[in-house]
Amino acid sequence: MEMDDRAEDPWRKETVPRVMATVSSRLKQKDVYSLLLVSPWCYRFLLAQTTLWQTLDLRERNKAGEKLVLALSLARYSGIKGINLEFAQDIEDRDLILVSSKFSESLQLLENLNLNGCQKISDAGVQAIAYACPKLKAFSIYWNVRITDKSVKLLVNHCKEITSLNLSGCKNITDQSLFLIAENYEALDDLNLTRCVKLTDAGLRRVLKNCLQLRSLNLYALSSFTDHAYNQISSLKHLRVLDLCGAQNLTDGGLAHISSCEHLISLNLTWCVRITDAGITAISPGCRSLELLSLFGIVGVTDKCLESLSASCSRTLKTLDVNGCVGIMRRSREQLLRLFPNLECFKVHS
């Protein structure tokens, strides 16, 4: 019996811990919870893996408010860095106010908070979070029509380290928020303003002028901006991802300024209906790192723009969408690959 115990020790003390450490880090959080119940030994081992308890995933969960309070009451979440409440639609202001008051010490290190789709949250809920989470770096509150410029003011006043901000669908946000962002978040890396319909050129220009570290900018479905704002995109020398889908006022002249964004790898020009071959030809020499380009629905481009792109981006372009571009002739897969040898995904009108 003693021999068996000695033989088992290396397996139990060395092999199993290594396997558990590898496997548990790849599991969904609910599966890790299940492992806690396997045995007292598993329970103790998993609790000792502090990285497992730095994030809390309650995405799409029912009674997420109750679960959030219960989780934060556990010692293992005392150093939590990320909370995902995306589409947990029963989350309300009172839940955030409660966790802010009861667990403010645990939230001091929180860096990432996802409130996407939490439509019951208002400025009051954002206020509670802003007060409790001074180290917040990424904040996302997609599809919320209740928050206003007051929320952004609270964030810039109390969460000084934010570098990623998603306000997509927050239709009550105005230029006042963009002025605040521009003056306080100069290190901003990622900004999503999709469908923020009250914004104007003045607000966007201020952001583009001040937030020069932006690498991702999403202006999807914003038809009010003009070239007066788009011209300022040329200031963003680190930009890698740009979404201008639906930019109905963007002209070839405005697009030409983007040619200075030499690190751009993804450009969405879907339904930018005023763009022609001239605009694409203007950006091609500068944007030589493009991996994804969508020209979906642009009838003003022809085969000429593909030739220009092939001359500049033939080795980098992997995804090309020219669906609805009636001026571009149909090509076989082989013909496209001659133009763009590394193309993996291509959509051509039928």
Side-chain angles (χ1 to χ4, degrees):
M1 191 65 177
E2 287 184 74
M3 289 289 291
D4 288 342
D5 286 345
R6 285 196 299 270
E8 185 181 306
D9 267 355
W11 180 84
R12 180 165 56 86
K13 293 181 178 179
E14 299 174 16
T15 305
V16 173
R18 285 201 302 269
V19 171
M20 286 290 287
T22 301
V23 171
S24 59
S25 64
R26 289 167 168 75
L27 293 176
K28 293 181 178 179
Q29 201 162 63
K30 63 179 181 179
D31 296 324
V32 175
Y33 292 154
S34 298
L35 282 177
L36 288 172
L37 304 176
V38 170
S39 69
W41 181 85
C42 277
Y43 183 86
R44 290 192 298 272
F45 175 81
L46 290 172
L47 285 190
Q49 308 307 303
T50 55
T51 55
L52 292 177
W53 314 110
Q54 289 182 348
T55 59
L56 179 61
D57 187 358
L58 295 174
R59 187 180 190 275
E60 298 180 343
R61 299 288 292 274
N62 294 324
K63 298 182 179 180
E66 295 178 16
K67 292 181 171 68
L68 178 62
V69 172
L70 179 60
L72 292 179
S73 67
L74 302 174
R76 60 176 176 264
Y77 286 112
S78 60
I80 193 166
K81 292 187 176 181
I83 297 177
N84 186 354
L85 293 166
E86 188 171 50
F87 295 110
Q89 295 188 29
D90 61 333
I91 284 286
E92 301 182 14
D93 287 337
R94 61 184 180 184
D95 298 313
L96 299 185
I97 293 169
L98 178 60
V99 298
S100 176
S101 62
K102 290 189 66 174
F103 308 110
S104 59
E105 190 170 329
S106 297
L107 296 174
Q108 290 295 302
L109 298 179
L110 192 72
E111 296 179 355
N112 189 320
L113 178 61
N114 188 335
L115 295 175
N116 287 343
C118 298
Q119 298 180 19
K120 295 179 181 179
I121 299 301
S122 71
D123 293 332
V126 175
Q127 175 175 300
I129 289 300
Y131 286 168
C133 308
K135 296 295 184 181
L136 205 59
K137 294 181 179 178
F139 181 70
S140 185
I141 192 163
Y142 157 84
W143 195 22
N144 184 305
V145 296
R146 299 185 68 189
I147 70 165
T148 68
D149 295 329
K150 180 180 178 181
S151 284
V152 175
K153 186 174 183 180
L154 288 162
L155 289 171
V156 301
N157 284 341
H158 299 281
C159 305
K160 304 291 188 180
E161 299 181 18
I162 286 182
T163 57
S164 178
L165 186 59
N166 184 353
L167 300 174
S168 172
C170 298
K171 296 183 178 181
N172 286 314
I173 296 297
T174 73
D175 282 346
Q176 185 60 44
S177 285
L178 296 194
F179 296 151
L180 289 167
I181 290 168
E183 298 304 320
N184 293 275
Y185 290 149
E186 293 185 2
L188 199 64
D189 175 83
D190 181 0
L191 179 62
N192 191 331
L193 299 173
T194 293
R195 297 187 189 280
C196 293
V197 293
K198 293 185 178 181
L199 304 179
T200 73
D201 283 352
L204 181 59
R205 278 185 63 84
R206 187 80 65 86
V207 167
L208 298 179
K209 183 179 179 181
N210 285 25
C211 302
L212 300 180
Q213 302 305 312
L214 276 170
R215 294 197 303 168
S216 178
L217 178 63
N218 194 325
L219 303 176
Y220 182 99
L222 292 172
S223 59
S224 60
F225 297 138
T226 70
D227 285 350
H228 183 59
Y230 296 130
N231 291 349
Q232 194 69 47
I233 292 176
S234 61
S235 303
L236 306 181
K237 305 303 183 184
H238 303 284
L239 195 64
R240 293 174 62 82
V241 177
L242 177 61
D243 194 330
L244 296 174
C245 175
Q248 297 179 15
N249 295 318
L250 175 66
T251 71
D252 290 333
L255 184 60
H257 285 78
I258 297 172
S259 63
S260 62
C261 301
E262 61 183 23
H263 298 295
L264 200 64
I265 62 172
S266 176
L267 177 59
N268 186 358
L269 297 175
T270 296
W271 295 119
C272 293
V273 293
R274 300 179 66 181
I275 297 303
T276 70
D277 288 336
I280 303 303
T281 301
I283 66 169
S284 296
C287 303
R288 306 179 73 91
S289 300
L290 275 180
E291 297 179 11
L292 181 151
L293 175 64
S294 176
L295 304 175
F296 183 102
I298 304 179
V299 298
V301 295
T302 69
D303 290 327
K304 183 179 178 180
C305 81
L306 291 193
E307 294 168 6
S308 175
L309 288 167
S310 179
S312 302
C313 314
S314 64
R315 296 295 173 184
T316 60
L317 205 60
K318 297 179 181 179
T319 299
L320 176 63
D321 189 348
V322 293
N323 192 21
C325 300
V326 294
I328 293 178
M329 74 174 208
R330 291 187 62 185
R331 285 175 167 79
S332 67
R333 182 176 184 275
E334 291 71 24
Q335 290 172 323
L336 281 168
L337 288 175
R338 279 198 289 272
L339 288 171
F340 307 105
N342 295 314
L343 207 60
E344 298 173 357
C345 177
F346 45 90
K347 299 179 182 179
V348 187
H349 64 90
S350 55

